[in-house]
Short mmCIF file of all heavy atoms in Angstrom, two decimals:
data_model
loop_
_atom_site.label_atom_id
_atom_site.label_comp_id
_atom_site.label_asym_id
_atom_site.label_seq_id
_atom_site.Cartn_x
_atom_site.Cartn_y
_atom_site.Cartn_z
N VAL A 1426 -4.43 -1.58 -12.22
CA VAL A 1426 -4.20 -3.02 -12.37
C VAL A 1426 -4.16 -3.31 -13.88
O VAL A 1426 -4.99 -2.78 -14.63
CB VAL A 1426 -5.36 -3.82 -11.73
CG1 VAL A 1426 -5.18 -5.32 -11.93
CG2 VAL A 1426 -5.48 -3.48 -10.25
N SER A 1441 -10.46 -6.78 -4.09
CA SER A 1441 -9.52 -5.67 -4.14
C SER A 1441 -8.18 -6.16 -4.71
O SER A 1441 -7.72 -7.25 -4.36
CB SER A 1441 -9.35 -5.02 -2.76
OG SER A 1441 -8.46 -5.74 -1.98
N ILE A 1442 -7.61 -5.36 -5.61
CA ILE A 1442 -6.35 -5.73 -6.28
C ILE A 1442 -5.43 -4.51 -6.25
O ILE A 1442 -5.83 -3.41 -6.62
CB ILE A 1442 -6.58 -6.17 -7.75
CG1 ILE A 1442 -7.67 -7.26 -7.84
CG2 ILE A 1442 -5.28 -6.66 -8.38
CD1 ILE A 1442 -7.96 -7.76 -9.25
N GLY A 1443 -4.20 -4.73 -5.80
CA GLY A 1443 -3.24 -3.63 -5.68
C GLY A 1443 -2.70 -3.18 -7.03
O GLY A 1443 -2.72 -3.94 -8.01
N ALA A 1444 -2.19 -1.96 -7.05
CA ALA A 1444 -1.67 -1.39 -8.29
C ALA A 1444 -0.47 -2.18 -8.80
O ALA A 1444 0.27 -2.78 -8.01
CB ALA A 1444 -1.27 0.06 -8.05
N ASP A 1445 -0.28 -2.16 -10.09
CA ASP A 1445 0.82 -2.84 -10.78
C ASP A 1445 0.76 -4.37 -10.69
O ASP A 1445 1.73 -5.04 -11.02
CB ASP A 1445 2.19 -2.33 -10.31
CG ASP A 1445 2.47 -0.96 -10.88
OD1 ASP A 1445 2.10 -0.72 -12.05
OD2 ASP A 1445 3.02 -0.11 -10.15
N THR A 1446 -0.35 -4.89 -10.25
CA THR A 1446 -0.55 -6.33 -10.34
C THR A 1446 -1.02 -6.61 -11.77
O THR A 1446 -1.74 -5.81 -12.36
CB THR A 1446 -1.57 -6.81 -9.29
OG1 THR A 1446 -0.88 -6.88 -8.04
CG2 THR A 1446 -2.17 -8.17 -9.61
N VAL A 1447 -0.59 -7.75 -12.31
CA VAL A 1447 -0.99 -8.13 -13.66
C VAL A 1447 -1.89 -9.36 -13.56
O VAL A 1447 -1.52 -10.35 -12.95
CB VAL A 1447 0.24 -8.45 -14.54
CG1 VAL A 1447 -0.20 -8.88 -15.94
CG2 VAL A 1447 1.16 -7.24 -14.62
N VAL A 1448 -3.08 -9.26 -14.15
CA VAL A 1448 -3.98 -10.42 -14.18
C VAL A 1448 -3.98 -10.95 -15.61
O VAL A 1448 -4.35 -10.25 -16.55
CB VAL A 1448 -5.41 -10.04 -13.73
CG1 VAL A 1448 -6.32 -11.28 -13.74
CG2 VAL A 1448 -5.39 -9.41 -12.34
N VAL A 1458 -11.99 -11.71 -2.31
CA VAL A 1458 -10.55 -11.95 -2.45
C VAL A 1458 -9.81 -10.61 -2.44
O VAL A 1458 -10.30 -9.62 -2.98
CB VAL A 1458 -10.26 -12.73 -3.76
CG1 VAL A 1458 -8.77 -12.78 -4.06
CG2 VAL A 1458 -10.85 -14.13 -3.68
N SER A 1459 -8.64 -10.62 -1.80
CA SER A 1459 -7.85 -9.40 -1.80
C SER A 1459 -6.42 -9.74 -2.24
O SER A 1459 -5.82 -10.71 -1.75
CB SER A 1459 -7.91 -8.80 -0.39
OG SER A 1459 -6.69 -8.26 -0.03
N ILE A 1460 -5.91 -8.96 -3.18
CA ILE A 1460 -4.59 -9.22 -3.77
C ILE A 1460 -3.75 -7.96 -3.63
O ILE A 1460 -4.23 -6.85 -3.87
CB ILE A 1460 -4.74 -9.60 -5.27
CG1 ILE A 1460 -5.58 -10.88 -5.41
CG2 ILE A 1460 -3.37 -9.77 -5.94
CD1 ILE A 1460 -6.05 -11.18 -6.83
N GLY A 1461 -2.49 -8.13 -3.23
CA GLY A 1461 -1.63 -6.98 -3.00
C GLY A 1461 -1.05 -6.39 -4.28
O GLY A 1461 -1.44 -6.76 -5.39
N LYS A 1462 -0.08 -5.51 -4.10
CA LYS A 1462 0.54 -4.82 -5.23
C LYS A 1462 1.58 -5.71 -5.92
O LYS A 1462 2.18 -6.57 -5.28
CB LYS A 1462 1.26 -3.57 -4.74
CG LYS A 1462 0.33 -2.49 -4.23
CD LYS A 1462 1.14 -1.30 -3.78
CE LYS A 1462 0.20 -0.21 -3.30
NZ LYS A 1462 0.93 0.95 -2.80
N ARG A 1463 1.82 -5.42 -7.18
CA ARG A 1463 2.91 -6.03 -7.97
C ARG A 1463 2.88 -7.55 -7.98
O ARG A 1463 3.91 -8.21 -7.96
CB ARG A 1463 4.28 -5.54 -7.47
CG ARG A 1463 4.48 -4.04 -7.61
CD ARG A 1463 5.84 -3.58 -7.11
NE ARG A 1463 5.99 -3.77 -5.69
CZ ARG A 1463 5.48 -2.96 -4.77
NH1 ARG A 1463 4.82 -1.88 -5.12
NH2 ARG A 1463 5.66 -3.22 -3.48
N CYS A 1464 1.69 -8.13 -7.98
CA CYS A 1464 1.57 -9.59 -8.09
C CYS A 1464 1.37 -9.97 -9.54
O CYS A 1464 1.11 -9.11 -10.39
CB CYS A 1464 0.37 -10.09 -7.28
SG CYS A 1464 0.59 -9.94 -5.51
N SER A 1465 1.48 -11.25 -9.81
CA SER A 1465 1.15 -11.76 -11.14
C SER A 1465 0.17 -12.92 -10.93
O SER A 1465 0.48 -13.87 -10.20
CB SER A 1465 2.43 -12.23 -11.83
OG SER A 1465 2.09 -12.89 -13.02
N ILE A 1466 -1.00 -12.82 -11.53
CA ILE A 1466 -2.05 -13.81 -11.30
C ILE A 1466 -2.46 -14.44 -12.63
O ILE A 1466 -2.82 -13.74 -13.56
CB ILE A 1466 -3.30 -13.16 -10.64
CG1 ILE A 1466 -2.94 -12.27 -9.45
CG2 ILE A 1466 -4.33 -14.22 -10.27
CD1 ILE A 1466 -2.42 -12.99 -8.23
N LEU A 1472 -9.07 -18.05 -7.88
CA LEU A 1472 -8.96 -17.62 -6.49
C LEU A 1472 -10.36 -17.52 -5.91
O LEU A 1472 -11.15 -16.66 -6.30
CB LEU A 1472 -8.24 -16.26 -6.41
CG LEU A 1472 -6.71 -16.31 -6.40
CD1 LEU A 1472 -6.14 -17.11 -7.55
CD2 LEU A 1472 -6.13 -14.92 -6.41
N VAL A 1476 -9.62 -15.80 0.17
CA VAL A 1476 -8.20 -15.80 -0.22
C VAL A 1476 -7.62 -14.39 -0.10
O VAL A 1476 -8.23 -13.43 -0.56
CB VAL A 1476 -8.02 -16.35 -1.66
CG1 VAL A 1476 -6.62 -16.08 -2.19
CG2 VAL A 1476 -8.32 -17.84 -1.68
N THR A 1477 -6.46 -14.29 0.55
CA THR A 1477 -5.73 -13.02 0.51
C THR A 1477 -4.32 -13.32 0.01
O THR A 1477 -3.73 -14.34 0.36
CB THR A 1477 -5.63 -12.34 1.89
OG1 THR A 1477 -4.89 -13.20 2.76
CG2 THR A 1477 -6.99 -12.06 2.50
N VAL A 1478 -3.85 -12.43 -0.83
CA VAL A 1478 -2.52 -12.60 -1.42
C VAL A 1478 -1.74 -11.32 -1.13
O VAL A 1478 -2.22 -10.23 -1.47
CB VAL A 1478 -2.62 -12.85 -2.94
CG1 VAL A 1478 -1.23 -12.96 -3.56
CG2 VAL A 1478 -3.45 -14.09 -3.24
N ALA A 1479 -0.57 -11.44 -0.50
CA ALA A 1479 0.22 -10.24 -0.21
C ALA A 1479 1.00 -9.81 -1.45
O ALA A 1479 0.88 -10.42 -2.51
CB ALA A 1479 1.16 -10.51 0.95
N GLU A 1480 1.83 -8.78 -1.31
CA GLU A 1480 2.46 -8.18 -2.49
C GLU A 1480 3.55 -9.05 -3.12
O GLU A 1480 4.16 -9.88 -2.47
CB GLU A 1480 3.01 -6.78 -2.15
CG GLU A 1480 4.19 -6.76 -1.20
CD GLU A 1480 3.75 -6.82 0.26
OE1 GLU A 1480 2.54 -6.97 0.54
OE2 GLU A 1480 4.64 -6.76 1.13
N GLU A 1481 3.76 -8.80 -4.39
CA GLU A 1481 4.85 -9.41 -5.18
C GLU A 1481 4.82 -10.93 -5.22
O GLU A 1481 5.87 -11.58 -5.27
CB GLU A 1481 6.21 -8.90 -4.68
CG GLU A 1481 6.42 -7.46 -5.05
CD GLU A 1481 7.55 -6.79 -4.31
OE1 GLU A 1481 8.42 -7.50 -3.78
OE2 GLU A 1481 7.56 -5.56 -4.28
N THR A 1482 3.64 -11.48 -5.14
CA THR A 1482 3.51 -12.93 -5.18
C THR A 1482 3.08 -13.36 -6.58
O THR A 1482 2.41 -12.61 -7.28
CB THR A 1482 2.52 -13.37 -4.08
OG1 THR A 1482 3.25 -13.47 -2.86
CG2 THR A 1482 1.86 -14.70 -4.36
N VAL A 1495 -1.89 -16.10 1.49
CA VAL A 1495 -0.58 -16.25 0.85
C VAL A 1495 0.26 -15.02 1.16
O VAL A 1495 -0.18 -13.88 0.93
CB VAL A 1495 -0.73 -16.41 -0.69
CG1 VAL A 1495 0.61 -16.76 -1.33
CG2 VAL A 1495 -1.76 -17.49 -1.03
N GLY A 1496 1.45 -15.22 1.68
CA GLY A 1496 2.31 -14.11 2.09
C GLY A 1496 2.98 -13.44 0.90
O GLY A 1496 2.76 -13.81 -0.26
N PRO A 1497 3.85 -12.45 1.19
CA PRO A 1497 4.53 -11.75 0.10
C PRO A 1497 5.62 -12.62 -0.55
O PRO A 1497 6.17 -13.51 0.09
CB PRO A 1497 5.16 -10.54 0.81
CG PRO A 1497 5.26 -10.93 2.24
CD PRO A 1497 4.15 -11.91 2.52
#
Side-chain angles (χ1 to χ4, degrees):
V1426 177
S1441 82
I1442 308 180
D1445 286 322
T1446 281
V1447 179
V1448 181
V1458 170
S1459 142
I1460 299 167
K1462 292 180 178 178
R1463 298 180 294 281
C1464 291
S1465 172
I1466 312 291
L1472 275 53
V1476 167
T1477 63
V1478 177
E1480 68 276 5
E1481 289 166 19
T1482 276
V1495 187

